[in-house]
Amino acid sequence: RKAAEKEIEQLFIKNKKIDPYFVEDGAIEAGVQELRKDLSPESKAYFHTYKYKNELAAYIKVKPLSETEMYVGSFNADPEVRGSVSKILADEIIKTYGSQYDLVADAISGSPTERWYIQSYGFKPTGEVEEFGGINYAKLVRPMDREKSLAKSA
């Protein structure tokens, strides 16, 4: 488990060092501290990962918020494989959790990632914005796919 945690942290740092939004002093360190909390045994977070050539290429964090809401975010992918892997992981998350929970994500306000969640996966902005590490994050929600949920329970 420790090796996987280290890989997740290294990918996070690698991505944030080249991320134009992570320019505030302390933004990366604040993110690393939050990530370490989610990687701890006490956390209810789970990381879906994708390996390419035996190395961690991407991950997305899922974490129950309530009986009806699941956080899906903290998405990080190696820039070399970002487009295709992002779609694979996002599709997996939607398929796995979308008929059981309202999916909650956050994305840097005005970023390509925020637009991607909205345009590709039907997330809707809630209007809530939270500042973390000097960066504004927009809260997004994708309502549970009720038709699939009903079909599963039938």
Side-chain angles (χ1 to χ4, degrees), residues 24-38:
E24 292 284 327
D25 284 342
I28 293 174
E29 186 56 36
V32 168
Q33 293 306 317
E34 189 69 21
L35 181 63
R36 287 179 180 160
K37 283 186 217 170
D38 287 324

Side-chain angles (χ1 to χ4, degrees), residues 38-105:
D38 287 324
L39 288 167
S40 73
E42 301 81 38
S43 174
K44 293 182 178 170
Y46 176 78
F47 289 80
H48 286 257
T49 60
Y50 184 88
K51 291 215 173 208
Y52 178 73
K53 295 183 180 176
N54 270 349
E55 291 190 24
L56 181 67
Y59 70 83
I60 188 168
K61 176 178 77 176
V62 297
K63 184 176 182 178
L65 299 175
S66 70
E67 288 185 18
T68 60
E69 291 183 317
M70 180 71 72
Y71 174 81
V72 296
S74 300
F75 202 154
N76 273 278
D78 189 297
E80 292 179 29
V81 295
R82 186 168 285 152
S84 58
V85 170
S86 297
K87 181 171 178 5
I88 290 167
L89 267 179
D91 288 349
E92 175 188 329
I93 294 303
I94 300 292
K95 183 178 176 185
T96 303
Y97 301 103
S99 64
Q100 302 169 50
Y101 299 96
D102 291 334
L103 303 180
V104 178

Side-chain angles (χ1 to χ4, degrees), residues 21-28 30 108 130-137:
Y21 294 96
F22 272 73
V23 294
E24 292 284 327
D25 284 342
I28 293 174
I108 296 172
E130 182 179 338
E131 185 273 333
F132 181 79
I135 300 167
N136 289 325
Y137 288 86

